[in-house]
Structure formats: structure tokens, C-alpha cells
Amino acid sequence: YNCSSNYRRCKRKGVFAMHVEKYNKGASKRILAHVKRERETVTESSIDWSKTKLNRDIVPPMSSEQLEQVSKLAKRKDAVTLVSTILTLPAELKYSSRLTQEKFFKVASKAIHKHIGGTLAYATVHNDETTPHLHLGIIPMTPDGRLCAKEVCNRKIRDSFFSSITTMITILPIY
């Protein structure tokens, strides 16, 4: 279930990719399983399972039961229950220390969550694939407690978000 996706490149400070996608109840469970590395599947062939121990949780993933509780708030069966963001490590940080890379992902996850809002479901760094990247999951919860992706992550918010995250990445103190 793909409502939206975007990739952006930052020309001033190397290349990175960012992807935002919205998921309904069933797809949210599959993404959560991927983030937690709960099962091996053919589609996850790029994973080096011997390096999975190098993955780090910035914010531990919520349980499947917690995600199920969130799904019960949805008024429609196909309602968006998760906004997933993937942010790759900029090219010039590829050979930097793990500490520098983790600092980058921590600062970026805070900035993304602050910009989008909602409830943070997980923030996990995967180091077991070709390019280290951050998985950030946000429950599109409005301040008044409703589940509404249109208010939390609409096109206008996403577009301003891509501009601000690119700016934020270029001025990070780790550069």
C-alpha cells in the first residue's frame, strides 16, 4: 500500500536518499517485522544476517500488540496507521566512525519526528545492508488523539519537510 514516496538528494553535502511512505494496518505489521528483523524472506536478500547484531535502536520498536491497539483507533479498514521514513547515511559519512554515524541518525530522527509530529513507533538504524540507513516509524496521531495521516503528513507538510531536512543535514555539527 503506497500512498506516497519521495527521494531527495542533497547536492552541497554529499548524496543521501530519503523515502516517506504511508501504510495501512496489514502493511504496518510487515514493516515492523522488517525493522525488527523478525523473519527472513526472499525480498530481504540484501540483508547480511551476520551483521544484524550491528543494528541499533534509537527508539525501540513498539510491539505488534501496541500496533494492533493503534489500528483499532482507525475508522476505516484501509486507514493509514503508520508513516514510515527511511533516511540513508550521506556518502561522505560512510567511512566515519560508528559514533559519528549514530550521532547523525539520532539528530536526524529527532528532526524528522519534530517536523512530522505524531507518535514515534520506532527509530532503528540498520547496519546490516549495503548502505546504513535509519528506519523511522510515526503513528499519524493528531494532537486531539485522532488517527489522521492527511493532517499529520500531507503533501504540503512532506514538501516542506524535505526542504528542512536537507537544510538540517547540511548544517549538522558532525560535518
Side-chain angles (χ1 to χ4, degrees):
Y1 178 69
N2 178 355
C3 288
S4 62
S5 62
N6 273 307
Y7 287 92
R8 291 289 192 256
R9 294 187 184 281
C10 175
K11 293 177 182 151
R12 280 184 37 208
K13 286 289 185 180
V15 176
F16 67 91
M18 185 166 40
H19 179 75
V20 175
E21 200 160 337
K22 299 175 186 177
Y23 294 100
N24 63 12
K25 178 181 170 181
S28 295
K29 289 179 181 178
R30 288 189 296 278
I31 289 298
L32 190 60
H34 170 79
V35 169
K36 291 174 157 185
R37 296 295 196 241
E38 288 182 339
R39 56 184 152 177
E40 294 182 42
T41 64
V42 176
T43 60
E44 296 174 2
S45 61
S46 63
I47 297 170
D48 181 349
W49 293 97
S50 67
K51 292 183 178 180
T52 300
K53 62 183 177 283
L54 299 174
N55 294 346
R56 297 286 176 255
D57 290 329
I58 295 171
V59 174
M62 63 175 26
S63 68
S64 299
E65 293 78 26
Q66 289 171 313
L67 191 60
E68 186 65 35
Q69 290 300 317
V70 168
S71 299
K72 289 179 181 178
L73 297 173
K75 294 187 178 190
R76 295 175 46 156
K77 198 163 73 172
D78 64 343
V80 173
T81 57
L82 183 71
V83 176
S84 176
T85 302
I86 300 173
L87 177 67
T88 63
L89 188 70
E92 72 267 9
L93 291 180
K94 185 174 182 175
Y95 299 106
S96 61
S97 69
R98 284 265 183 237
L99 187 63
T100 302
Q101 291 179 7
E102 284 191 25
K103 184 177 179 183
F104 167 78
F105 285 128
K106 283 180 184 178
V107 171
S109 66
K110 285 180 184 176
I112 294 168
H113 182 233
K114 182 179 177 184
H115 192 85
I116 293 180
T119 304
L120 202 54
Y122 56 81
T124 301
V125 177
H126 281 171
N127 291 304
D128 58 357
E129 294 182 56
T130 308
T131 303
H133 57 279
L134 169 72
H135 283 272
L136 188 80
I138 297 173
I139 306 296
M141 193 73 69
T142 62
D144 61 354
R146 294 177 298 113
L147 196 60
C148 186
K150 286 182 182 177
E151 288 181 33
V152 174
C153 192
N154 58 38
R155 183 173 299 281
K156 184 178 174 185
I157 291 170
R158 259 192 345 266
D159 288 346
S160 70
F161 163 67
F162 284 121
S163 299
S164 67
I165 197 73
T166 301
T167 303
M168 183 273 307
I169 287 172
T170 60
I171 61 172
L172 277 175
I174 58 174
Y175 285 107

